[in-house]
Amino acid sequence: MKMSRAVVTVGLVLGLSGAAWAGAPATGLGQQWPNATDLSRSPHYHVYAFVQNGVRFIQVNSSNGTVLGAIGTAGGQYIVLPMGNALQVSTPQQSATTSSTAVPAASPTTVYNDGTTAVTATPMSDGTTALVTSDICSDPASCGSHAVKQVQ
């Protein structure tokens, strides 16, 4: 587990360093309106995915473009990226740090699902949005190739 997390961390560092992209890359991780296709399954959110060096980065923005949070994933491992309200982002390996008084103000909405990873967004009573990332791949061998496709 520690080795896998180290591999993801190294991949994240390399992924953000500007190393070579395959094809014409989507760009702008961390920006309000990145140069990437909006992959959201909800009209109330914008979701962008970026892939570099085998690491998929998924960013969720509000309808007005505010970055709510982002994760990096590779090989079934997930890490919360330090952007948006990172404390409100959960992954299979890391729980969110939520307010003790905030409660869901609406039902969770699936905002992203690529067949390997799903992300839901839940508006909270304190005005924040909780993001929950789920690993939905039941067979990592068959999902592995999908997880590293270049998103353009």
Side-chain angles (χ1 to χ4, degrees):
M1 175 82 160
K2 286 185 180 184
M3 178 59 104
S4 295
R5 195 159 272 180
V7 169
V8 169
T9 301
V10 168
L12 293 174
V13 170
L14 292 174
L16 295 174
S17 71
W21 283 83
T27 59
L29 179 65
Q31 296 178 356
Q32 273 189 309
W33 306 109
N35 180 25
T37 302
D38 185 351
L39 302 172
S40 181
R41 293 182 167 225
S42 168
H44 305 291
Y45 299 92
H46 301 284
V47 179
Y48 307 98
F50 310 86
V51 176
Q52 187 167 5
N53 299 329
V55 179
R56 178 177 294 273
F57 303 93
I58 302 166
Q59 174 180 317
V60 180
N61 291 8
S62 68
S63 61
N64 68 3
T66 301
V67 178
L68 299 174
I71 59 103
T73 180
Q77 298 296 306
Y78 295 82
I79 188 169
V80 176
L81 302 179
M83 63 179 67
N85 190 355
L87 295 177
Q88 290 282 66
V89 181
S90 294
T91 71
Q93 288 92 17
Q94 180 180 345
S95 297
T97 305
T98 56
S99 164
S100 60
T101 59
V103 296
S107 297
T109 300
T110 299
V111 296
Y112 179 80
N113 184 331
D114 66 9
T116 302
T117 302
V119 180
T120 61
T122 305
M124 302 300 285
S125 61
D126 62 359
T128 62
T129 301
L131 300 176
V132 176
T133 306
S134 303
D135 186 358
I136 58 172
C137 180
S138 59
D139 179 14
S142 66
C143 295
S145 63
H146 177 72
V148 295
K149 282 186 182 174
Q150 177 70 39
V151 175
Q152 297 183 17

